[in-house]
């Protein structure tokens, strides 16, 4: 019988039978709940939340960004991944970037722009799984863009961090985000009338297609990928040189031809059975398999008997994460030739061999495993291991030390940007009364990632920065390939194959680190959703981040200050380089669960934005 570890929480776990929504912003949660109240299903509500998040969390996602969605339809017991990760443009070649004197793709500007994937992913979900019309699910987003929404503190801080960049180099962004020539203050109502106009035009073109719901959705998709949106993006990238973190302006390579040839696609999820629960993730074009590899490694370590806030628990998870993320660097990517060897990486034989490297002392190696018949190649990055799995820090860094790449340039990257404010991600989980559920982390197109396209009111995403300018790697830059994204939604199914939980978090490389202890504390230690979300969190920075400038911090383990002194001391004795952060600094998890007819949900208190609602 597993031990029960119950905790006081910052708020109650929401419970009901009609429907629940948990997201990273209270306005998105409430807008989605409103759709459920009007008779929409979980998929209609997710699309509403997705568009609302683009407006009210512009520092964390935008219309020019991307989103993978895991959707479970109760009728037919079907679970699918919708890939809203746009690919690399045709003109984005390693040779082109090298000719610009670059050895790493800048995290801001136009060079890292890929096809915006979120719009078509949301509309694909609405068309195939939803029941409502486009105008109904976009109403809240257009209203907030036109009439304003209260700014959270992090938006004001993010705008302040790139104020100089906007004024000097990105005037179109200044026109939107510096109203009256000043950084908008926390709590004031902020509107984006240009974005409202763009979305209103899309809805008008949809209505002009007639009364059929699907015809309206198709007209909106055409307006985006073949019509005025694609034309504006093409013109902006061709005619503007934009300052980026390299310290030099560059034109973009994304064009209308890249847009017209792409649509969101369906895939089967990758799954792994962990102690009676099947976890569904996106494939190896994401980092999702890293979570599954961690769970495979952890199955035999007696996690349920460990104190979920003790040093053994943290150490064991971190050491398994190091092995999984080393494999991510060696084997994950959107291969156009040879598929990633995920089945082998999740096999019991391989996992048993890898468990031998989880020791009582913290590893300082970045040590990927060998795959029969495959050549092991690792990317070059600061502290990259040499031949034979040399220790991190042993080689000469090959990532460029670019001029003027410091504060004020607006890295617009994920976790680890050199300015004080970070680009990140949103998240939403929804379950309706029928048992439909979905999990989605919209991201990219951050206000600090690239300039506003004036006719549209939004900027492009910079996901191509996650590709290596090095030939022959699974995540090398290559036209038509999806960048290996960190976006990683999760769905859990029971032994009968019915979906029982949707969960996830923003956080770049931390997404599949924060989700693991959450799941273990809930599943193995009996905490409810809110207790598991509120528990002290941690992450490793041992492996290279997926964002510019791609550095690693060997052995560094960051923990929240709410861990006990005994735990922190115990981790130091095990050889971790401990960094103790603020009390509430790690993770922005949300989750929703179904137990029979009972529904429950929890959301992250960190940052004072996330909320779960339901009845």
């Amino acid at each position: 019988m597993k031990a029960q570890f119950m905790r006081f929480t910052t708020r109650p776990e929401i419970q009901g039978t009609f429907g629940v929504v948990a997201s990273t912003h209270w306005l998105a949660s409430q807008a989605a709940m409103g759709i459920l109240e009007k008779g929409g299903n979980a998929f209609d509500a997710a699309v509403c939340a997705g568009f609302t998040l683009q407006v009210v969390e512009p520092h964390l996602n935008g219309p020019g960004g991307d989103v993978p969605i895991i959707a479970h339809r109760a009728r037919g017991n079907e679970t699918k991944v919708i890939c809203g990760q746009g690919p690399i443009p045709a003109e984005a070649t390693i040779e082109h970037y090298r000719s610009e004197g670059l050895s790493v793709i800048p995290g801001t500007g136009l060079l890292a722009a890929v096809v915006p994937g979120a719009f078509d992913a949301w509309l694909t979900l609405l068309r195939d799984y939803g029941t409502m019309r486009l105008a109904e699910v976009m109403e809240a987003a257009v209203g907030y863009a036109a009439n304003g929404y209260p700014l959270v503190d992090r938006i004001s801080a993010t705008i302040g961090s790139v104020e100089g960049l906007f004024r000097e180099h990105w005037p179109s962004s200044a026109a939107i985000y510096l109203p009256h020539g000043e950084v908008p203050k926390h709590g004031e109502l902020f509107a984006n009338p240009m974005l409202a106009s763009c979305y209103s035009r899309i809805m008008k073109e949809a209505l002009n297609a007639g009364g059929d719901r699907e015809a309206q959705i198709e007209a909106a998709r055409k307006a985006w990928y073949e019509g005025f949106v694609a034309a504006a993006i093409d013109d902006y990238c061709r005619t503007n040189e934009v300052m980026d973190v390299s310290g030099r302006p560059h034109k973009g390579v994304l064009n209308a031809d890249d847009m017209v040839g792409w649509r969101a696609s369906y895939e089967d999820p990758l799954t792994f059975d962990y102690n009676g629960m099947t976890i569904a993730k996106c494939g190896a074009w994401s980092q999702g398999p890293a979570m599954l590899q961690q769970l495979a490694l952890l199955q035999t370590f007696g996690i349920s008997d460990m104190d979920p806030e003790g040093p053994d628990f943290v150490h064991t998870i971190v050491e398994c994460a190091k092995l999984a993320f080393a494999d991510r660097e060696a084997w994950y990517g959107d291969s156009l030739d040879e598929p990633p060897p995920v089945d082998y990486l999740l096999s019991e034989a391989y996992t048993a061999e890898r468990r031998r490297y989880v020791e009582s002392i913290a590893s300082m190696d970045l040590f990927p495993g060998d795959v029969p018949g495959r050549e092991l190649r690792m990317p070059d990055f600061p502290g990259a291991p040499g031949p034979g799995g040399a220790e991190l820090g042993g080689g000469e860094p090959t990532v460029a030390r670019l001029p003027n790449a410091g504060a004020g340039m607006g890295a617009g990257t994920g976790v680890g940007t050199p300015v004080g404010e970070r680009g990140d991600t949103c998240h939403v989980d929804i379950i309706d009364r029928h048992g439909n559920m979905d999990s989605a982390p919209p991201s990219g197109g951050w206000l600090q990632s690239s300039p506003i396209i004036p006719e549209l009111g939004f900027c492009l995403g910079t996901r191509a920065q996650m590709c290596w300018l090095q030939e022959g790697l699974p995540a090398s830059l290559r036209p038509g390939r999806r960048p290996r994204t960190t976006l990683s939604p999760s769905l859990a199914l029971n032994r009968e194959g019915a979906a029982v939980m949707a969960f996830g978090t923003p956080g770049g490389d931390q997404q599949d680190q924060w989700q693991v202890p959450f799941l273990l504390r809930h599943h193995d230690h009996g905490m409810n959703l809110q207790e598991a979300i509120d528990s002290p969190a941690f992450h490793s920075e041992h492996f290279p981040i997926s964002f510019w400038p791609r550095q690693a911090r060997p052995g560094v383990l960051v923990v929240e200050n709410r861990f006990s002194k005994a735990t922190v001391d115990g981790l130091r004795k095990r050889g971790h380089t401990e960094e103790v952060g603020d009390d509430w600094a790690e993770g922005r998890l949300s989750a929703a669960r179904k137990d029979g007819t009972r529904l429950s949900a929890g959301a992250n208190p960190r940052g004072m934005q996330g909320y779960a609602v339901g009845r």
Side-chain angles (χ1 to χ4, degrees), residues 197-244:
S197 176
C198 172
Y199 275 155
S200 294
R201 181 174 173 182
I202 287 173
M203 289 192 295
K204 182 178 180 180
E205 294 200 17
L207 291 171
N208 288 340
D212 181 74
R213 188 184 79 94
E214 290 192 13
Q216 291 180 359
I217 293 171
E218 289 304 311
R221 298 171 81 197
K222 187 172 181 179
W224 188 276
Y225 290 96
E226 302 176 36
F228 78 96
V229 174
I233 290 172
D234 182 282
D235 180 70
Y236 192 84
C237 288
R238 289 184 187 276
T239 60
N240 290 273
E241 287 193 329
V242 169
M243 181 63 71
D244 56 45

Side-chain angles (χ1 to χ4, degrees), residues 70 101 114 134 221 269 272 292 405-406 434 453 482 504-505 529 569:
I70 299 184
V114 299
L134 182 64
R221 298 171 81 197
F272 182 80
L292 303 185
H434 308 295
I453 299 173
R482 290 170 290 186
T505 180
L529 298 181
D569 289 345

Side-chain angles (χ1 to χ4, degrees), residues 56-61 108 149 151-166 170 173 177-178 183-186 407-413 417 419-425 445-450 459 588 609:
V56 303
E57 289 195 310
H59 60 314
L60 304 179
N61 82 136
T108 63
Y149 60 93
L151 285 181
V152 297
D153 179 65
R154 299 308 299 169
I155 299 178
S156 299
T158 299
I159 297 171
S161 75
V162 289
E163 177 185 3
L165 174 67
F166 283 8
W170 294 4
S173 294
Y177 288 107
L178 298 175
V183 175
K185 294 180 174 58
H186 170 218
M409 286 305 297
T413 59
T417 147
V419 294
E421 309 308 323
R422 297 170 174 176
D424 204 343
T425 300
W446 312 297
L447 69 86
Q448 66 274 29
S449 63
S450 64
C459 58
R588 295 176 63 215
Q609 290 176 226

Side-chain angles (χ1 to χ4, degrees), residues 104-384:
V104 62
I105 300 172
T108 63
L110 297 178
L111 280 176
V114 299
V115 174
F119 187 85
D120 201 64
W122 290 125
L123 265 64
T124 297
L125 180 67
L126 180 67
R127 181 195 65 191
D128 297 342
Y129 284 11
T131 64
M132 302 183 81
R133 295 180 180 274
L134 182 64
E136 294 176 291
V137 297
M138 291 188 68
E139 181 181 8
V142 174
Y144 286 127
N147 304 317
Y149 60 93
L151 285 181
V152 297
D153 179 65
R154 299 308 299 169
I155 299 178
S156 299
T158 299
I159 297 171
S161 75
V162 289
E163 177 185 3
L165 174 67
F166 283 8
R167 292 187 188 279
E168 186 173 354
H169 298 294
W170 294 4
S172 58
S173 294
I176 296 290
Y177 288 107
L178 298 175
H180 316 297
E182 297 179 350
V183 175
K185 294 180 174 58
H186 170 218
E188 75 175 65
L189 289 180
F190 179 84
N192 186 342
M194 185 59 69
L195 178 58
S197 176
C198 172
Y199 275 155
S200 294
R201 181 174 173 182
I202 287 173
M203 289 192 295
K204 182 178 180 180
E205 294 200 17
L207 291 171
N208 288 340
D212 181 74
R213 188 184 79 94
E214 290 192 13
Q216 291 180 359
I217 293 171
E218 289 304 311
R221 298 171 81 197
K222 187 172 181 179
W224 188 276
Y225 290 96
E226 302 176 36
F228 78 96
V229 174
I233 290 172
D234 182 282
D235 180 70
Y236 192 84
C237 288
R238 289 184 187 276
T239 60
N240 290 273
E241 287 193 329
V242 169
M243 181 63 71
D244 56 45
V245 289
S246 71
R248 294 187 291 113
H250 294 96
K251 286 186 177 180
V253 293
L254 179 65
N255 61 46
D257 289 339
D258 298 310
M259 299 277 289
V260 71
W262 183 84
R263 292 294 187 272
S265 59
Y266 282 102
E267 299 178 6
D268 290 327
L270 186 67
T271 61
F272 182 80
D273 295 335
Y274 173 78
N275 290 348
M277 181 177 286
T278 299
I279 307 300
K281 302 289 286 187
C282 301
W285 52 270
S286 77
Q287 71 176 15
M291 179 178 176
L292 303 185
Q293 283 196 256
Q294 290 175 77
L295 294 175
L297 290 162
L298 288 163
Q299 281 202 113
T300 63
F301 283 101
I303 290 293
S304 60
D305 296 324
M306 296 180 184
D307 177 354
E309 293 184 16
D312 288 340
F313 180 83
V314 177
H315 171 81
T316 305
I317 291 173
V318 168
E319 293 308 295
C320 289
K322 290 176 182 178
L323 294 172
F325 278 83
D327 281 344
R328 181 192 72 167
E329 294 310 315
W331 303 113
Y332 293 13
D334 184 25
S335 175
L336 301 179
D337 305 310
E338 194 172 28
V342 177
D343 288 344
Y344 182 76
L345 298 177
L346 289 172
S347 68
E348 177 53 33
Y350 177 79
T351 301
E353 172 66 19
R354 297 288 277 167
R355 285 193 193 107
R356 298 192 303 112
Y357 299 102
V358 178
E359 300 179 346
S360 59
I361 298 297
S363 172
M364 291 296 144
D365 295 336
L366 190 67
F367 180 44
D370 290 317
V371 174
R374 298 284 189 97
E375 180 186 3
L376 174 61
R377 294 195 62 195
M378 289 287 281
D380 295 328
F381 57 89

